[in-house]
Amino acid sequence: MKANADAVLSAKSLHYFLQLVDSMSYTQASQILGITQPALTQQIKKLERAVGSPLFGQVGKKLYLTDAGSKMEETARTLFNTVHNTVDEIQQYTESDSGYISIGILNIFEPKVIEEFLIKFGKKYPDVRLIVNFYNREELWDKIDKNEIDFAILYIPDINANATTMRQFATKEINKESIILLSPKKNNALEDMLKEKWASYTEKSYLTHIFKRYYTSIIPQNEIKVRFSREKELVNFAQANGLNTFVTNSYYQAHQKDISLNPVKTQEVINFQGCFVYRKNKAQIPRLNNFLTEWDNFLDEKDYTTRLDEPETFN
């Protein structure tokens, strides 16, 4: 029994297992983990031998969790959450220049300024380990709700950011954001665009959610010819196929030289905010409080909009 218990409670095995649950792809999970696919497969088989039951099934190329796998996921997340909370409590009394910071970024958030800040922060605090991943909005809210990340970088308002949910969270504004409509035609009018073909985001994307408030109700669904989860692929496809689309103002500012589509002036501007979202007690942890202070100092040196307009630098 002891050998089996050791196998099940291996932090490495459980971490690999949860990454595979999140990715549902051995190839993608192994890339994220920085290991080979055979090494990942070995860890999963080790867990399956320990519990005496398959944790994953497969239909064609698609993985799914078995009943045993679902139970293991619940247990693994509970264990990691407990450990994470305990470490946080301990590190509340440690120095601000050590430990780790876990950050989840919305997959459609323009990362240029955040990347610049993280590089600078990492150089100044080499003993603080940064763990950074990109997620869609549902995954990101799930991660922050389960205390699996320290900071979520996302857009507000959001349907998840209701009064009840936000009682346990604090927010810190990163930037003021808006949507820019793009057309292959010069001086195109909004009323004409609404009759034309579009490239849009996936149904559950934040930008789809906020765009629907203003325009989707008057754009026939059959006029949306393609959906992408990321802005780069969306813009490239729209440009190549002569479609209308839309992006955040930040994305347009950062990549304007590569965008041949034309911005369209509208009377109504769709505004929202990029924010850090975090549990209120996180601000008591020195390294996390220091992270937020360094962000303020970073913007005091040069504001967000100016940094967006500058060429990328990794110095």
Side-chain angles (χ1 to χ4, degrees), residues 135-152:
Y135 302 101
N136 65 39
R137 55 190 288 264
E138 288 186 333
E139 292 170 334
L140 199 48
W141 279 107
D142 183 63
K143 294 288 184 184
I144 193 73
D145 184 57
K146 292 179 179 176
N147 200 28
E148 294 178 2
I149 56 177
D150 296 312
F151 296 111

Side-chain angles (χ1 to χ4, degrees), residues 52-298:
S53 178
L55 300 175
F56 294 90
Q58 189 166 345
V59 177
K61 295 184 178 180
K62 188 174 182 179
L63 290 178
Y64 66 89
L65 277 175
T66 63
D67 289 343
S70 296
K71 183 62 179 176
M72 178 61 72
E73 179 190 11
E74 179 184 343
T75 301
R77 293 198 187 281
T78 299
L79 284 170
F80 274 101
N81 191 39
T82 300
V83 171
H84 191 88
N85 287 338
T86 301
V87 170
D88 274 352
E89 290 176 8
I90 294 171
Q91 290 187 337
Q92 287 185 27
Y93 307 100
T94 65
E95 299 296 326
S96 62
D97 57 357
S98 62
Y100 68 91
I101 299 174
S102 178
I103 304 164
I105 305 177
L106 188 66
N107 59 356
I108 47 131
F109 193 96
E110 170 50 48
K112 179 182 176 182
V113 178
I114 295 294
E115 287 177 354
E116 185 182 344
F117 168 68
L118 293 178
I119 290 170
K120 186 171 183 178
F121 183 88
K123 288 181 178 179
K124 186 172 182 179
Y125 299 96
D127 292 329
V128 175
R129 292 178 294 153
L130 298 173
I131 303 168
V132 184
N133 283 293
F134 288 82
Y135 302 101
N136 65 39
R137 55 190 288 264
E138 288 186 333
E139 292 170 334
L140 199 48
W141 279 107
D142 183 63
K143 294 288 184 184
I144 193 73
D145 184 57
K146 292 179 179 176
N147 200 28
E148 294 178 2
I149 56 177
D150 296 312
F151 296 111
I153 296 176
L154 43 72
Y155 291 129
I156 288 177
D158 189 281
I159 55 174
N160 294 83
N162 55 60
T164 301
T165 301
M166 294 307 293
R167 283 179 193 152
Q168 60 185 318
F169 297 123
T171 63
K172 185 178 186 65
E173 182 180 300
I174 295 173
N175 67 315
K176 296 188 185 301
E177 194 58 272
S178 60
I179 280 179
I180 296 228
L181 303 184
L182 297 174
S183 171
K185 301 177 183 177
K186 290 185 177 179
N187 304 315
N188 202 1
L190 177 59
E191 55 268 26
D192 294 326
M193 292 178 71
L194 299 178
K195 303 170 188 175
E196 297 168 350
K197 301 188 186 306
W198 287 74
S200 186
Y201 297 85
T202 53
E203 286 284 1
K204 294 183 179 181
S205 169
Y206 177 83
L207 291 184
T208 298
H209 156 70
I210 199 165
F211 188 73
K212 279 182 177 180
R213 293 186 185 181
Y214 295 84
Y215 302 120
T216 304
S217 60
I218 49 179
I219 298 176
Q221 285 298 304
N222 61 0
E223 297 302 328
I224 299 178
K225 294 302 180 183
V226 66
R227 293 185 182 275
F228 283 95
S229 61
R230 300 195 309 177
E231 291 176 306
K232 180 180 179 181
E233 289 78 7
L234 180 74
V235 171
N236 288 344
F237 191 95
Q239 290 182 162
N241 290 275
L243 302 176
N244 298 315
T245 191
F246 57 99
V247 296
T248 62
N249 180 62
S250 292
Y251 184 87
Y252 185 75
Q253 276 190 262
H255 303 278
Q256 188 172 355
K257 63 181 177 61
D258 300 317
I259 298 176
S260 61
L261 297 171
N262 303 287
V264 177
K265 293 182 178 179
T266 59
Q267 290 184 339
E268 191 165 27
V269 179
I270 305 176
N271 293 314
F272 45 103
Q273 293 176 313
C275 291
F276 290 109
V277 178
Y278 54 96
R279 289 181 175 271
K280 291 179 178 178
N281 64 342
K282 296 283 187 180
Q284 301 171 13
I285 301 172
R287 72 188 186 282
L288 303 185
N289 183 272
N290 187 53
F291 181 88
L292 295 174
T293 300
E294 289 293 339
W295 171 257
D296 289 336
N297 295 338
F298 177 72

